[in-house]
Amino acid sequence: QLGRQHYPHQYSRNKTHKMAIKNGLVLSTPKGYTLIELVVVVGLVSILAIGISSAVLINAVTATRTKNTTHLRSVGDYSVNQLKQLIRGARDITLCDSTQNSLTLTSPDGGETLINLELDNEIGRISSNSGVYISPSTANITNFTLDCLPSDSDPTLIQLSFDAALSASTESRESPTLHFRSSITPRSN
């Protein structure tokens, strides 16, 4: 009999269970996904997760490096400006020792100020003999040089340079080393 067939309520068209008719027999298709479909979906989700986590990690490292670079730039600029003020405000340059990278100034009040690089708990800091550090402890100062031109005995131009890096232990890719250089003409000349 190929006419109309009556199906039980559980196989009605409104249900999600699908049926097919083949050679007059009622066949039902199974619900769910095949194992291959599940494996493909899990693989695609894994690849997306790896890509997104890589992008987030790269973004975090870049943000940290930018923050550290900005901090070092402000530390170096502050140190250079402090040195400029000390040298330009000095009444006289008493001693300029390019071999020791030190500078002795006579301040307007007649006192002497020695500027050099000093180790403070294994961190290089630009200091003065007044007990004040010109560079903060958050930065490690290296390669500090003072060149007095034309000579150490009669300087008309002082060239200073140094490198600054973060003193806290961070990964090298997050902590840059910046180079600072400036030329200062003393007012006493």
Side-chain angles (χ1 to χ4, degrees):
Q1 205 186 57
L2 291 173
R4 203 176 236 198
Q5 296 180 358
H6 295 286
Y7 303 111
H9 178 66
Q10 69 218 30
Y11 296 121
S12 68
R13 286 185 158 177
N14 295 336
K15 298 290 183 176
T16 58
H17 195 79
K18 295 181 181 178
M19 297 176 17
I21 299 176
K22 186 174 183 182
N23 296 333
L25 297 172
V26 177
L27 303 173
S28 65
T29 57
K31 293 188 216 179
Y33 301 101
T34 65
L35 181 61
I36 292 175
E37 291 172 330
L38 289 174
V39 169
V40 168
V41 169
V42 168
L44 289 174
V45 168
S46 299
I47 291 170
L48 281 173
I50 290 170
I52 291 171
S53 64
S54 296
V56 168
L57 180 64
I58 288 170
N59 189 25
V61 168
T62 303
T64 303
R65 183 173 176 82
T66 302
K67 182 185 76 158
N68 291 343
T69 302
T70 303
H71 176 70
L72 280 176
R73 175 91 39 221
S74 66
V75 164
D77 290 343
Y78 173 79
S79 300
V80 167
N81 287 333
Q82 290 297 312
L83 288 168
K84 282 181 178 180
Q85 284 181 355
L86 283 171
I87 293 170
R88 286 189 179 147
R91 187 178 346 155
D92 189 29
I93 297 176
T94 310
L95 176 65
C96 184
D97 190 351
S98 295
T99 58
Q100 297 292 321
N101 293 315
S102 65
L103 185 66
T104 305
L105 310 170
T106 304
S107 61
D109 63 359
E112 287 200 348
T113 302
L114 172 68
I115 299 171
N116 62 353
L117 184 69
E118 184 177 295
L119 283 179
D120 179 35
N121 295 324
E122 299 185 25
I123 296 172
R125 295 179 70 186
I126 302 171
S127 66
S128 67
N129 64 338
S130 60
V132 175
Y133 288 105
I134 296 170
S135 60
S137 62
T138 57
N140 185 23
I141 306 298
T142 56
N143 301 324
F144 179 74
T145 59
L146 285 168
D147 293 320
C148 301
L149 303 173
S151 67
D152 284 356
S153 59
D154 187 27
T156 58
L157 180 68
I158 298 171
Q159 293 180 334
L160 66 98
S161 66
F162 59 89
D163 295 333
L166 287 179
S167 57
S169 59
T170 58
E171 292 187 38
S172 62
R173 66 179 179 203
E174 296 175 359
S175 178
T177 299
L178 300 180
H179 182 73
F180 294 89
R181 180 181 199 103
S182 184
S183 298
I184 307 164
T185 303
R187 288 191 182 147
S188 59
N189 291 329

